Amino acid sequence: MAALAWLLIPLFAAVGAAIWGSWAARDRTTGDIAELNGYARFRDAMEKEHSGSDVA
């Protein structure tokens, strides 16, 4: 029984490493595109708000 426990430890470590590896290699570009579009809209809104009045 002790030998089985020592064999299961590396097996669990390999499964955990595979899960972590697939999570770390996931595609994260979809969120970046939405955030960049939101930032572009923010910049446009800020330019429109300040373009009409020059307050010194």
Side-chain angles (χ1 to χ4, degrees):
M1 194 63 156
L4 181 62
W6 281 107
L7 290 174
L8 288 177
I9 292 171
L11 178 66
F12 288 142
V15 170
I19 291 171
W20 179 83
S22 64
W23 178 78
R26 70 190 187 281
D27 186 19
R28 292 177 276 194
T29 57
T30 55
D32 293 341
I33 294 170
E35 289 178 15
L36 289 174
N37 288 338
Y39 180 65
R41 287 194 310 270
F42 170 75
R43 280 192 331 224
D44 292 340
M46 292 304 289
E47 287 174 1
K48 288 178 186 177
E49 183 177 334
H50 293 295
S51 63
S53 63
D54 287 329
V55 178

